[in-house]
Amino acid sequence: VEIYSLRVDCKVTSRFAHTVITSRIVNQANESREATFEVELPKTAFITNFSMSIDGEVYPGIIKEKAAAQNEYDTAVSQGQSAGLVKITDRKLEQFHVSVSIAAASKVTFELTYEELLKRQLGKYELLIKVRPKQLVKHFQIDVHIFEPQGIHFLETDSTFLTNELTEALTKEQNETKAHISFKPTVDQQKKNSELDETLLNGDFVVRYDVKREATAGDIQIVNGYFVHYFAPQEMPVFPKNVIFVIDRSGSMTGRKIEQTRDALLKILRDLRPEDHFSLITFNNKVEEWKNSLLPASEENVASAAALVQTLTARGGTDISGALLTAVGMLEKAEGLPERSVSMIILLTDGQPTSGERNVEVIQENVQKAINGKCALFCLGFGFDVSYKFLEKMALSNWGIARRIYENADAALQLQGFYQEVATPILMQIEMQYPENSIEGLTKNNFKLFFEGSEIIVSGKISNDLDLLPVEIKAQSHTSDLTLKEEANVKEKEQVFQNQRYIFGNFIERLWAYLTIQQLLEKAISAQEEDQKALEAQALDLSLQYSFVTPLTSMVVTKPQQQEEMANKPTEAG
């Protein structure tokens, strides 16, 4: 079975990426064989379309409500065969896998489309394309087209498999607002060496870029009555942080995990700014405080904390509740903290609560009551024995985020990377205000914290008769209370995207739907049961209307002989 053509075509319009992967396969054998289509795509993306055509006959994937699809599927397939077509493969990716039996000399074309909104992290957007054809491909091509009306500030490509030979197959064209990256290696360039038919193409192909920013109140873009507003202020004074690290040293952390935690913590402690205050709590079935209050991050204090970190060993149970409540209490008692500062608790654990309070619902409730909006809680779950759902709900209920740390060689780097994202808060209590009676379906527009290098995105639908869209942003910076104002001329803004080849239809409307679904699902995690159902119902409607495979929908893939398979979107919480 030979893949004779594999194309990745990606269009990024104003951070919204639309990727189409097309694989053409021929069965050279003189009997029928399995043809397999395997794509790894970013977890943050939603699949929007899939089809396979075998000798001219098209078999589309149909997106349905998950429960309904499951019922149909269970009747079509005997139980136990429903392996599902999508699974999580690593911390950034999930894999879509489908195979079909094709007759001798037959051809099949697989086509998969997915969309995602690129998230700015540490000052750049990253578009990740996983390349793993597992064989030499006669026609192999990746095309990435980027159109950013704000202007492209910088652009780089990076790959884990590029040799000097392969670099010749890579071309990059760029002007003020557009870029085209093309990677088109010949069969000879793909070979590991001239004797063997083994491919070099195995790994990540990454495009990173950032846009130019001028207007202080961000940038507004409008297409077909939908707007998106990007806000990423730069060069602002950084808030001093009051941060408490709450570190699990229970028995299950033994060995590599505790070593990697030590390595990461030592580097993180060195990265604290002199104006920050910090403390360290370690816990197993006992909760131990390094000091009973927060101390300034002076060289001396950091060295003392680092000495403690060096001695961390792992044994005993896991009292998550006791450790978190101790941290909140320490923040409440703290004296001499800077008046305008940001308080945060960073929890790292690898297991379930086994000591102290064990009921996760009670822990969530107690922690939320204790924090009461006074600080942000970030929960890092190390490995797969944690209850990720519990950590995620606790973080989202307290202005934070949860992240799974994968147990690989780079776990220490994952921990440091996470810390870098939250290390520089530059705005608090951000409110993005728009004329209420002229905007419908506004996405989230209040944000507790803004970290340098990230971006706030708000989208909505403008009522027909609006000529000017006024925007007001209110926020607190370290030195003052800010009010920023901007006015967008609707007709002028619409012109920007006219006659652009790069545009895929009403992309801002799709961006709005994508963002709304993501936010509804996130909100549902920490909502009460009745609210949860309403939020999920809304997200389901949008998923079906815009044909996105989300955790609430399934794609039913029909094959020849009436076989059916299902593609579901996996979530980190399982």
Side-chain angles (χ1 to χ4, degrees), residues 16-83:
F16 197 60
H18 174 91
T19 304
V20 183
I21 297 176
T22 312
S23 172
R24 299 176 197 281
I25 297 177
V26 60
N27 179 7
Q28 306 279 28
N30 48 16
E31 58 191 13
S32 60
R33 288 277 161 93
E34 284 283 296
T36 299
F37 177 64
E38 202 171 82
V39 171
E40 286 182 89
L41 61 144
K43 284 179 183 174
T44 43
F46 290 150
I47 291 172
T48 67
N49 208 347
F50 171 73
S51 69
M52 52 188 175
S53 50
I54 303 168
D55 298 333
E57 177 94 19
V58 179
Y59 299 87
I62 311 291
I63 294 175
K64 300 181 173 177
E65 182 189 351
K66 199 175 199 168
Q70 190 67 49
N71 289 343
E72 281 179 37
Y73 183 56
D74 288 343
T75 48
V77 180
S78 63
Q79 289 291 0
Q81 268 183 288
S82 56

Side-chain angles (χ1 to χ4, degrees), residues 139-210:
H139 304 287
F140 180 93
Q141 188 166 352
I142 296 176
D143 278 298
V144 177
H145 288 272
I146 298 172
F147 173 47
E148 288 289 351
Q150 283 170 264
I152 295 169
H153 172 53
F154 81 89
L155 175 79
E156 60 186 28
T157 53
D158 187 11
S159 163
T160 52
F161 55 80
L162 274 189
T163 56
N164 290 346
E165 190 93 316
L166 277 173
T167 309
E168 292 169 22
L170 182 70
T171 59
K172 201 160 84 172
E173 295 164 43
Q174 188 183 339
N175 64 20
E176 188 66 18
T177 56
K178 290 182 186 165
H180 174 208
I181 293 151
S182 170
F183 179 58
K184 200 176 174 183
T186 62
V187 169
D188 282 343
Q189 285 172 322
Q190 293 171 40
K191 284 184 180 178
K192 269 189 183 167
N193 61 39
S194 48
E195 277 75 67
L196 293 170
D197 282 353
E198 278 185 39
T199 178
L200 281 165
L201 306 184
N202 181 3
D204 299 346
F205 185 83
V206 182
V207 178
R208 293 189 191 90
Y209 73 94
D210 197 16

Side-chain angles (χ1 to χ4, degrees), residues 228-246:
V228 59
H229 182 185
Y230 296 108
F231 180 54
Q234 285 160 300
E235 290 160 20
M236 292 198 128
V238 177
F239 276 104
K241 294 190 299 298
N242 315 311
V243 56
I244 301 181
F245 300 98
V246 180

